[in-house]
Amino acid sequence: MKRRVFCLLLMLVMTTALFSVSALAEASESASAPVFDLEQGTVLLNSGYTMPIMGLGTYSLTDEECYNSVTALLEAGGRLIDTAYMYHNEASVGRAVRASGVPREEVFITTKLYPNQYDNADRAIDEALRRLDTGYIDMMLLHHPAHNDAAAYGAIERAVRDGRVRCANVSCYYIREIDRFLPKVSLAPALVQNELHPYYQDSRATQYLQGLGLAVQAWYPLGGRGYTERLLADGIIREIAAAHQKSPAQVILRWNLQRGVAVIPGSGNPEHIRENLSSFDFELTGAEMEAIRNLNRDEKHDWY
Ligand code: NAP
């Protein structure tokens, strides 16, 4: 009897594992690898849409500061804006985009659902659309893994099918999280947004995600508020910046771009916003890329 139960259990485990592996393979097979273009400053996503690889992060920017920062970005030629329900500034982002005179189809807007919205994700997507008031959302992310994330992602998939959202994506999904998540969804994400900077490079997860055909985008690309000063003062970064007559921030952003990682530096300072956008007119050498690679300390600056 015991043996029969054991065999049944074994069969169940094997069937589940086989199903997961084939769903994972399906997700990666259906995905074509993202095509990164440093000349154009864009990446062609597996969803078929082109996304700028340099944008503006709006975490902690309040109403007018957010409006002014998005305006400065668009005036300087930047076209990618990252916001979230949790940043409470989607309305300011939408207002600045509408006031800019830049055609809607030239702007790429990313927003996110927070776990406390996952149980009512269809409604949350409609509310984000109403707050942004930009017709559609280019990219909708799940902000964090959670027990009900696959169901919430299903709502984003429905929004992709009816054109309210263009790409479905996730954030804070590392190897374990993405392996658990992919077998549960039918539309492969186009992008994963994770913490990445010279002190936390997470090359293993980054390469793993890229290998699955997903674009990777760095949050906290400059280390995150409270850590930025220390990172920008790093001796190696400053030396490389001086050699190229660029700023330490530009060197860090450029390093990520050259390793195929898109960036969304946060800033409420129009000068910094313009400076960050100007990270395309120089190239780090192999030795400089290696020197920055050696700065990794596996030092994560946030818990998620
Ligand atoms: P960050 O980009 O690493 O750093 C922002 C800090 O860098 C600000 O204090 C900013 O100051 C400074 N800075 C920006 N450009 C600079 C420059 N050229 N020179 C000197 N200092 C400069 O951190 P973050 O804004 O928190 O993260 C980036 C974005 O990622 C966020 O805004 C958000 O959109 C996204 N994010 C996502 C998650 C997630 O869970 N998915 C988590 C965190 C963040 P000034 O304002 O003075 O320029």
Side-chain angles (χ1 to χ4, degrees), residues 170-211:
V170 294
S171 163
C172 307
Y173 284 63
Y174 304 89
I175 296 178
R176 194 162 42 103
E177 291 81 4
I178 205 80
D179 278 352
R180 181 191 60 78
F181 181 74
L182 284 184
K184 296 192 213 160
V185 301
S186 53
L187 179 68
L191 173 142
V192 181
Q193 194 183 98
N194 282 343
E195 178 175 344
L196 291 170
H197 45 78
Y199 291 167
Y200 188 75
Q201 302 188 11
D202 205 7
S203 300
R204 196 169 147 257
T206 301
Q207 283 163 15
Y208 184 77
L209 296 166
Q210 289 169 333

Side-chain angles (χ1 to χ4, degrees), residues 197-202 292-299:
H197 45 78
Y199 291 167
Y200 188 75
Q201 302 188 11
D202 205 7
I292 300 177
R293 198 166 71 80
N294 289 334
L295 294 180
N296 182 45
R297 305 172 178 179
D298 290 333
E299 182 184 286

Side-chain angles (χ1 to χ4, degrees), residues 57-59 82 87 112 143-144 171-172 193 219-225 228 232 249 264-269 272 275-276 304:
T58 64
Y59 168 58
D82 181 78
Y87 305 166
K112 315 180 191 84
H143 212 139
H144 295 282
S171 163
C172 307
Q193 194 183 98
W219 57 260
Y220 283 179
L222 300 175
R225 280 155 217 276
T228 307
L232 295 180
I264 42 167
S267 178
N269 178 335
H272 286 164
E275 182 183 310
N276 297 342
Y304 40 82

Side-chain angles (χ1 to χ4, degrees), residues 55-293:
L56 172 73
T58 64
Y59 168 58
S60 87
L61 300 183
T62 52
D63 299 343
E64 279 318 289
E65 192 185 22
C66 180
Y67 178 89
N68 293 335
S69 301
V70 173
T71 302
L73 176 92
L74 295 171
E75 279 176 3
R79 292 292 181 263
L80 166 67
I81 304 140
D82 181 78
T83 178
Y85 165 75
M86 218 356 125
Y87 305 166
H88 307 296
N89 58 17
E90 289 169 310
S92 305
V93 168
R95 193 159 58 84
V97 169
R98 292 196 306 280
S100 70
V102 177
R104 170 66 186 94
E105 61 277 12
E106 285 184 22
V107 185
F108 197 102
I109 303 172
T110 296
T111 192
K112 315 180 191 84
L113 295 182
Y114 207 69
N116 64 3
Q117 298 181 294
Y118 290 178
D119 280 339
N120 294 297
D122 287 294
R123 197 175 68 201
I125 293 169
D126 284 337
E127 286 169 358
L129 280 159
R130 192 168 37 74
R131 280 189 296 273
L132 280 162
D133 193 12
T134 49
Y136 60 90
I137 293 166
D138 296 273
M139 191 174 263
M140 175 68 89
L141 278 72
L142 295 180
H143 212 139
H144 295 282
H147 72 279
N148 48 357
D149 55 4
Y153 190 85
I156 303 180
E157 289 179 337
R158 284 191 286 283
V160 169
R161 278 197 291 275
D162 66 26
R164 287 175 296 151
V165 171
R166 292 198 160 169
C167 310
N169 303 283
V170 294
S171 163
C172 307
Y173 284 63
Y174 304 89
I175 296 178
R176 194 162 42 103
E177 291 81 4
I178 205 80
D179 278 352
R180 181 191 60 78
F181 181 74
L182 284 184
K184 296 192 213 160
V185 301
S186 53
L187 179 68
L191 173 142
V192 181
Q193 194 183 98
N194 282 343
E195 178 175 344
L196 291 170
H197 45 78
Y199 291 167
Y200 188 75
Q201 302 188 11
D202 205 7
S203 300
R204 196 169 147 257
T206 301
Q207 283 163 15
Y208 184 77
L209 296 166
Q210 289 169 333
L212 289 175
L214 313 181
V216 176
Q217 189 178 53
W219 57 260
Y220 283 179
L222 300 175
R225 280 155 217 276
Y227 295 94
T228 307
E229 256 178 47
R230 187 160 58 92
L231 183 55
L232 295 180
D234 186 286
I236 299 285
I237 303 280
R238 292 187 76 83
E239 211 176 283
I240 297 172
H244 289 276
Q245 296 183 313
K246 299 299 274 188
S247 72
Q250 288 169 322
V251 166
I252 293 170
L253 297 172
R254 179 75 200 186
W255 163 77
N256 249 330
L257 296 177
Q258 278 185 222
R259 68 177 193 139
V261 172
V263 287
I264 42 167
S267 178
N269 178 335
E271 251 175 57
H272 286 164
I273 291 170
R274 286 189 284 275
E275 182 183 310
N276 297 342
L277 286 172
S278 175
S279 303
F280 290 93
D281 57 358
F282 72 112
E283 189 170 349
L284 299 173
T285 64
E288 289 166 340
M289 290 293 290
E290 177 71 9
I292 300 177
R293 198 166 71 80

